[in-house]
Amino acid sequence: MNIIYSRLFELSILHDYFQDGFAKGIHLAPTEETQWHLSKGRMISRETPIGLVVLYKAEDDLTTPLVPLTSPINFYFFIHLQSGPNFFGITDLSEGSRKLKNQEIVSFSNDPSSASNDSASPETISLSIWDGIIAKHTSQRVTLNPTPSKVILRVLDPVGNSIPSGLDANGNPLPLDFELTPDDQDDFSFEINLSGKSEGNYTFLLRDEGDTTDLWKKEYFLTENVFGPRALGVVKISYASAPNHLYGAKEFYALDFKRKSTKWLYYIVSQSNKVDVSSAQLAISDKSAPVTPPYALYAFDQIGAAPNTDIKINDSDTVLFKSQDPIPFFEVPKIKLELSRKPGNKVLISNMPNPSSSNIRKVDLGEEISEIYVYI
């Protein structure tokens, strides 16, 4: 009998920092439970130059699975970073106003009702943020201010159903709304034991005694094995709400990472003393013509006096210029930013350097700033 594999789905990883539109330096690996499902269903996952493909062993008709899996089923893949450009430096890891913080993870979850069978127009999945990756059996300690006399612990499964947080001493399920009182340190300590449940994104809630308000809320990816290299996040491809899609027409998905934009702050350092910055009347002008997307024309304002009265570098005078608008990071550098002096409009530098993706970003009054040091 011929060994035939058919494609279940393909997943590409987009990133608009890169000129070809595809991310670099990202590795996708099935979770332990997903790998068990793949093996059970005679499936394999293979990384491609632009993402991932999952295939299943099929009959001669190329459609009927040799060993069918039963829906509902979800496939999860960890997102790991490899070598390449500084991913955190070039990528906007935010969901609305929420910025990714330490221990949090990014998540991508498909919508089965929006699945695409067109490789040229995949279902594009936007980034969300979850609170982290933890074990199915875990303990939590929460401080609330002010400390209520009682709260309700509620656990929601990946589809939003309320489930018991574990079992009591007799092996019976705990109440769906489990009441907690503060411990001797005025904290709320509780144990979650979802061993035996499928991995996925579970929500933990502490509600007020009247069950009207969330006092604390966390959404975690729960898995059996949390050891190994820390993942940036998780991809979920679900067939739970659309079981007829499983083994149907091949589906196409795309993760959509977006580039970061920051305001550029140039420190012009008069280190050689060839330019008297107090009288040179320096300026930065954008001479790009034509303008090439994603860049636009940018104006720069001088910050403070010349020389700057607050900042010296290596005991040298400085002049500071900041872009009026954020400038995107892009694989192709921004050129034709000119540093000139008056009188005479003499060009000192015709192509000012771009910020490095490995530089630490600073936040000033809520604005992300990329600093560039230029010595004249």
Side-chain angles (χ1 to χ4, degrees), residues 117-278:
N117 304 127
D118 182 359
S119 61
S121 182
E123 178 192 339
T124 303
I125 312 172
S126 299
L127 178 151
S128 298
I129 295 176
W130 294 346
D131 293 290
I133 299 174
I134 61 175
K136 294 179 183 179
H137 192 176
T138 185
S139 296
Q140 298 281 312
R141 187 183 188 89
V142 179
T143 300
L144 299 177
N145 189 15
T147 305
S149 60
K150 187 182 297 183
V151 297
I152 297 171
L153 169 63
R154 186 173 295 158
V155 177
L156 306 179
D157 68 10
V159 295
N161 295 323
S162 186
I163 61 172
S165 58
L167 304 177
D168 63 19
N170 297 318
N172 298 314
L174 293 172
L176 296 182
D177 292 343
F178 187 57
E179 292 187 349
L180 297 173
T181 55
D183 59 21
D184 56 4
Q185 298 183 31
D186 283 341
D187 291 335
F188 292 90
S189 299
F190 54 93
E191 184 177 357
I192 302 290
N193 190 348
L194 300 181
S195 298
K197 297 288 187 181
S198 297
E199 65 184 357
N201 55 308
Y202 289 78
T203 303
F204 301 167
L205 299 168
L206 291 183
R207 304 270 294 173
D208 68 302
E209 187 176 358
D211 197 16
T212 61
T213 305
D214 291 341
L215 303 178
W216 177 84
K217 180 179 180 179
K218 296 290 183 181
E219 184 176 15
Y220 292 111
F221 181 75
L222 267 61
T223 185
E224 202 67 48
N225 185 2
V226 296
F227 300 105
R230 183 177 181 270
L232 171 69
V234 177
V235 182
K236 174 184 178 181
I237 301 298
S238 176
Y239 291 90
S241 62
N244 59 313
H245 285 218
L246 189 63
Y247 305 117
K250 182 173 63 174
E251 295 176 344
F252 297 89
Y253 304 99
L255 311 188
D256 193 14
F257 286 105
K258 296 297 185 183
R259 57 181 164 246
K260 185 190 290 286
S261 295
T262 62
K263 289 190 175 182
W264 292 8
L265 178 60
Y266 282 100
Y267 291 80
I268 311 301
V269 184
S270 179
Q271 186 164 297
S272 67
N273 295 319
K274 292 181 179 179
V275 177
D276 181 3
V277 296
S278 64

